[in-house]
Amino acid sequence: METSPGNVGGAIQASLGGRYALALFELARDAKTIDAVESSLANVRDALAQSEDFRTLTSSPMVSRGAAVKAVSAVADELGVDATTKSFLGVLAENHRLGALPKIIKAFRTLAAQHRGEIAAEVTSAHPLTDEQVIELKHQLRQRVGREVSVDLSVDPSLLGGLVVRVGSQMIDSSIKTRLNTLAHAMKG
């Protein structure tokens, strides 16, 4: 089941990051490289999470356009991203829009999931999940929402344990941090 970009909803198209994501999605769809671009964007997202220098490059207004283009091209080569994503990163650098990368990546994942007939879920856990845990989580979410679910995993040690799952506008928070905060609040009252 394919979803056309016209059916993805106004929310993605309304934001600057969403418009860039939609443009990238359309390029990837036409080139039949959605999976490669999605994988490359996951590598870029991971690099943003792990590298202070890369985050500074993408967010600092002090980095000149030329320096940003050269640096992002070098990072793209280092990460081994596909040609479409590398070119796209160059366009973002040229337009001083690298700061929108996290929102663009999130919107692209949503578009790709919708294209595959899936629902995208954001899952935050206190510790990295094993492959078996991810499979079981997808199974549980599929039963709950009635469709295939693609998961975007992230780790936040401050949760202490449990998960926070966002599917569309719905949030399931089973983190120990939230339970402790709820208990502490109840004890005060």
Side-chain angles (χ1 to χ4, degrees), residues 51-120:
S51 170
E52 182 68 34
D53 290 339
F54 190 39
R55 277 193 307 277
T56 300
L57 168 69
T58 63
S59 61
S60 174
M62 304 305 285
V63 179
S64 73
R65 183 176 299 187
V69 170
K70 285 180 186 175
V72 84
S73 177
V75 169
D77 288 340
E78 183 70 26
L79 295 175
V81 303
D82 68 289
T84 301
T85 304
K86 181 178 178 180
S87 175
F88 181 75
L89 292 172
V91 169
L92 291 179
E94 279 284 332
N95 294 329
H96 292 289
R97 298 291 186 216
L98 287 171
L101 258 175
K103 291 180 180 177
I104 293 168
I105 293 168
K106 182 177 177 183
F108 186 92
R109 282 192 48 83
T110 300
L111 290 166
Q114 289 176 345
H115 178 75
R116 291 187 296 266
E118 299 172 347
I119 293 178

Side-chain angles (χ1 to χ4, degrees), residues 24-187:
L24 178 59
F25 176 80
E26 289 174 345
L27 283 171
R29 185 194 59 212
D30 293 346
K32 299 188 184 340
T33 59
I34 293 172
D35 292 341
V37 171
E38 189 172 18
S39 176
S40 291
L41 289 177
N43 291 341
V44 171
R45 183 194 64 219
D46 292 345
L48 282 170
Q50 296 169 7
S51 170
E52 182 68 34
D53 290 339
F54 190 39
R55 277 193 307 277
T56 300
L57 168 69
T58 63
S59 61
S60 174
M62 304 305 285
V63 179
S64 73
R65 183 176 299 187
V69 170
K70 285 180 186 175
V72 84
S73 177
V75 169
D77 288 340
E78 183 70 26
L79 295 175
V81 303
D82 68 289
T84 301
T85 304
K86 181 178 178 180
S87 175
F88 181 75
L89 292 172
V91 169
L92 291 179
E94 279 284 332
N95 294 329
H96 292 289
R97 298 291 186 216
L98 287 171
L101 258 175
K103 291 180 180 177
I104 293 168
I105 293 168
K106 182 177 177 183
F108 186 92
R109 282 192 48 83
T110 300
L111 290 166
Q114 289 176 345
H115 178 75
R116 291 187 296 266
E118 299 172 347
I119 293 178
E122 295 175 37
V123 178
T124 307
S125 60
H127 308 283
L129 299 178
T130 65
D131 291 342
E132 294 80 24
Q133 289 171 321
V134 172
I135 290 168
E136 179 60 24
L137 177 63
K138 283 183 174 184
H139 176 72
Q140 293 295 325
L141 290 172
R142 186 180 327 117
Q143 286 185 329
R144 185 175 182 125
V145 299
R147 292 171 60 178
E148 286 296 319
V149 178
S150 70
V151 294
D152 185 10
L153 303 170
S154 61
V155 175
D156 179 0
S158 74
L159 295 179
L160 304 176
L163 299 172
V164 177
V165 180
R166 285 185 182 83
V167 181
S169 62
Q170 185 179 33
M171 183 173 86
I172 305 160
D173 187 342
S174 67
S175 67
I176 292 175
K177 178 181 179 180
T178 298
R179 290 178 190 176
L180 289 173
N181 288 340
T182 302
L183 180 62
H185 183 68
M187 291 173 71

